[in-house]
Structures are given as C-alpha cells and as structure tokens.
Amino acid sequence: MNTIIFYISKLLRPLFTSPLFLVLLLVLAVLFLLKAETTKRKVLKAFAILACIALWAFSLPLTANYLAKAWEKPQSELKDCLAGGPYRAIVLLGGMVDPERSEPQRVSVNGAFERLSAAAELYRAGAAPVVVVSGGSGSIAYPDRKEAPFMA
C-alpha cells in the first residue's frame, strides 16, 4: 500500500473528518462571524463554548477509556460466551500492536492486548475451530509492518 492515497488518507482524513476538527471549525465560525447583538447570537456563542467544553470532556482519557470499556466484555466473563457455542470462528480485531517498536520476534503491544489473550482462551476452550486475525498497517512510517502477522 505504498500509494499516495494511503498517505493522504492517513494525514488528511483524520484532520477533516475528526470530531475535534469539525467542532473547532464550527466554533471558530460562530465566534468570529457573529456579533453578540441579539439573543439568538448570544445563544449560538454560548452553544459554541459548550461544544468546546463537551469536546474537551469527552476527549479526556478518563472519559474515553470509560466509554471504550463499556463496549468490551471483560475477560472474566468469557465463560458466558461459550454457552452459545460452538461458533464457526473467533474474530480477533487489531489495534494492539505498536508497529514502530515491534520486530518479527519481539512484538510490542498496548492496552488492547487483552483481546489476544481472550481469543486464545476462547480457542483453547473450544469456542470455535478458527481464529480470524485482522489488522493491517495504519502507520505511515512502517507501512510494511502489518499487524495480523505479528499477532498470528
């Protein structure tokens, strides 16, 4: 994936599609284009400020981690997953390997490593005969270091 589109998507897409950029663009437009002469304009300026505060609150690691953990099932509850099995496959999502610090025989991981150990535990317990490992390279500096081979 050594195309210019890959590099553009990694550099420009997050900038123009991220909630931070869109909210800040909205806030700047509201704050600079409107003068607080009428009640309606005062309300719009107040909304812009509240949007910045909300964005700040949701971007805090404490809030973001709490919201992310609400979607993940703790590893201690894996036995409940086996009750409906056996399944055809276990899908192991990427996002846990740090490509900049990883090498073929030495893999560096982040806090999402629990996914790998949970998938291994489910596989050993007989939940499914196959583990589908996903994950490419999201790194501009190391586009050849794809995540799936590291996890396999």
Side-chain angles (χ1 to χ4, degrees), residues 77-87 90 121-123 125-128:
E77 297 179 16
L78 287 177
K79 291 178 181 73
D80 296 338
C81 295
L82 294 173
Y87 299 97
I90 299 165
E121 187 176 326
L122 284 170
Y123 178 76

Side-chain angles (χ1 to χ4, degrees), residues 21 28 40 42 91 93 100 102 107 110 112 128 131 139 147:
F21 177 77
L28 288 174
K40 185 177 182 181
K42 288 179 183 177
V91 178
L93 301 177
E100 295 178 5
S102 295
V107 180
N110 59 27
V131 177
S139 173
E147 190 169 10

